[in-house]
């Protein structure tokens, strides 16, 4: 597998402190902040601090410590939002867009955590 990481992507600039973000959580290996174009009342992005392009890149090449930290950070954001179904919350959606077909805009791994309204079906039915 070969990924070329663009060090000038917008999330790399956020990680370097070159542009601001509205931070909600920071851990040793992860950062969570509000999406600048929210599509739900809660719309948080969670990124690893390491230079990973997509979810598969991260899942296959990150260290155990990075992966554990990232998964825990996603869970912590859900907890902090109060959306955990197991704790009486109304639920949420976690998605990660990758590559061309996934319509990934920013080439640094991020998951979107969206919540706070009925989110509807995951995808519109494709045209026949
Ligand atoms: P995508 O790569 O398509 O999964 O989505 C990228 C998301 O990143 C999109 O919802 C908008 C958000 N975004 C783009 N630029 C910025 C930025 O400068 N700051 C923040 N907070 N979010 C951004």
């Amino acid at each position: 597998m070969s990924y070329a990481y663009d060090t000038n992507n917008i999330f790399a600039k956020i990680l370097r402190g070159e542009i601001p973000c509205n931070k909600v959580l920071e851990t040793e290996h992860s950062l969570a902040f509000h999406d600048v174009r929210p599509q739900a009342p809660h719309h948080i992005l969670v990124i690893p601090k390491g230079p990973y392009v997509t979810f598969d890149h991260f899942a296959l090449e990150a260290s155990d410590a990075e992966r554990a930290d990232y998964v825990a950070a996603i869970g912590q954001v859900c907890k902090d939002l109060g959306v955990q179904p197991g704790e009486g919350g109304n639920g949420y959606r976690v998605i990660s867009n990758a590559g061309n077909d996934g319509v990934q805009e920013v080439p640094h791994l991020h998951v979107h955590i969206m919540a706070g309204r009925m989110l509807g079906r995951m995808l519109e039915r494709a045209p026949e």
Side-chain angles (χ1 to χ4, degrees), residues 1-38:
M1 185 187 304
S2 175
Y3 277 107
Y5 180 79
D6 171 14
T7 56
N8 282 320
N9 79 75
I10 200 85
F11 294 166
K13 291 178 180 177
I14 286 175
L15 284 166
R16 290 196 296 267
E18 294 168 7
I19 64 169
C21 72
N22 192 352
K23 181 167 73 175
V24 298
L25 179 73
E26 182 167 9
T27 64
E28 183 179 1
H29 294 295
S30 307
L31 180 69
F33 51 90
H34 290 273
D35 194 294
V36 78
R37 295 195 305 268

Side-chain angles (χ1 to χ4, degrees), residues 29-105:
H29 294 295
S30 307
L31 180 69
F33 51 90
H34 290 273
D35 194 294
V36 78
R37 295 195 305 268
Q39 296 180 52
H42 301 300
H43 189 163
I44 307 295
L45 301 172
V46 189
I47 66 174
K49 292 182 178 177
Y52 302 101
V53 180
T54 60
F55 191 89
D56 63 280
H57 187 201
F58 179 79
L60 296 172
E61 297 191 17
S63 68
D64 289 350
E66 288 174 305
R67 288 189 299 230
D69 181 291
Y70 190 57
V71 172
I74 293 167
Q76 188 63 47
V77 171
C78 294
K79 183 176 181 179
D80 292 347
L81 290 173
V83 297
Q84 296 168 279
E87 296 291 341
N90 277 344
Y92 57 92
R93 181 167 293 156
V94 174
I95 62 171
S96 187
N97 299 315
N100 192 52
D101 284 1
V103 195
Q104 181 179 9
E105 175 189 334

